[in-house]
Amino acid sequence: MLEMLLIVHGFPSKAAALQFEWAWQNPHMSRHSSFDAVPFADKRALYASSQKRLETKLVALCVMLTLPPFKFWPLEIACESSQLHLDVQGRALRHNVPKHVVIANSEIARTFEQATSNVSYLGLPAEGDTCGLCSEALTESRPWGACGACNATWHLSCLANRLSRDSSSHSLLPTTASCFQCQLQFSWGQAVRAFTLPK
């Protein structure tokens, strides 16, 4: 019987999760980890014949998390054992995995339970609510967000524009964000998921 050692979750959709899983399990065939995109030191592990080894899977995981589009997603890794958790954290540091990727030491069964109960759908904006950045009305047709600490509200596009102006990063969308009013930090993916109606 196979033992589940870790899971990756927090994908924007089921299709995105399947895309990541296929690339992770088949790095030697994935267009995401094409030969030119992979650092030289990792090529041997990713393109070796022994694709089933844990070592290869962990290298592939860390490499996948540094490549687009995966490096922009608000992903979390749950490791069942504390030893594996420390190993994955060390590998993530060496591979420069983005800092917004959460690596936790938690029971996988509990992680599945929390993932289904932690849906924080905002619903429709209240009548009269306005964006704190552009002062226009919030509507259900335009993606919006709200701070969980101070209740500031914004259009996601307004917050993204503000963050891109204030950032030295050249990426199209932010990976992390902060409330313009109270500076509470959150992942950009969490903000987008809160606007999206759960299926």
Side-chain angles (χ1 to χ4, degrees):
M1 187 166 117
L2 290 175
E3 179 185 3
M4 193 177 297
L5 301 175
L6 64 82
I7 60 168
V8 181
H9 62 103
F11 294 95
S13 67
K14 289 178 184 176
L18 289 171
Q19 179 185 23
F20 181 87
E21 181 183 18
W22 193 90
W24 183 15
Q25 300 307 317
N26 303 283
H28 56 294
M29 295 189 291
S30 170
R31 66 182 171 87
H32 298 290
S33 59
S34 65
F35 199 75
D36 294 335
V38 176
F40 181 76
D42 299 320
K43 288 186 191 321
R44 178 182 288 168
L46 291 187
Y47 299 106
S49 56
S50 55
Q51 291 295 315
K52 301 287 184 207
R53 290 182 48 227
L54 178 61
E55 170 73 20
T56 304
K57 294 300 179 194
L58 294 178
V59 169
L61 173 61
C62 290
V63 169
M64 290 292 119
L65 293 171
T66 63
L67 300 174
F70 312 125
K71 69 179 183 178
F72 301 113
W73 295 349
L75 301 179
E76 298 180 31
I77 302 169
C79 302
E80 186 77 32
S81 77
S82 55
Q83 182 179 354
L84 181 62
H85 175 243
L86 291 173
D87 185 16
V88 173
Q89 281 185 320
R91 289 170 188 274
L93 279 173
R94 287 192 300 278
H95 282 87
N96 294 320
V97 169
K99 293 189 181 350
H100 67 272
V101 174
V102 176
I103 303 169
N105 181 202
S106 59
E107 292 178 32
I108 290 175
R110 182 172 289 157
T111 302
F112 277 122
E113 291 168 14
Q114 290 171 344
T116 55
S117 63
N118 281 352
V119 177
S120 56
Y121 174 56
L122 288 170
L124 300 176
E127 192 172 330
D129 278 355
T130 59
C131 172
L133 295 169
C134 74
S135 301
E136 291 182 17
L138 297 178
T139 63
E140 64 180 298
S141 63
R142 187 170 174 194
W144 65 284
C147 179
C150 72
N151 295 322
T153 55
W154 53 75
H155 293 115
L156 291 179
S157 58
C158 294
L159 186 61
N161 287 336
R162 178 187 173 107
L163 292 168
S164 64
R165 275 196 317 269
D166 297 345
S167 171
S168 60
S169 169
H170 299 292
S171 62
L172 183 61
L173 289 175
T175 52
T176 57
S178 60
C179 173
F180 65 91
Q181 196 164 288
C182 72
Q183 307 309 312
L184 176 74
Q185 298 277 319
F186 52 91
S187 93
W188 183 253
Q190 288 171 327
V192 172
R193 275 201 305 260
F195 174 75
T196 308
L197 180 65
K199 302 266 190 274

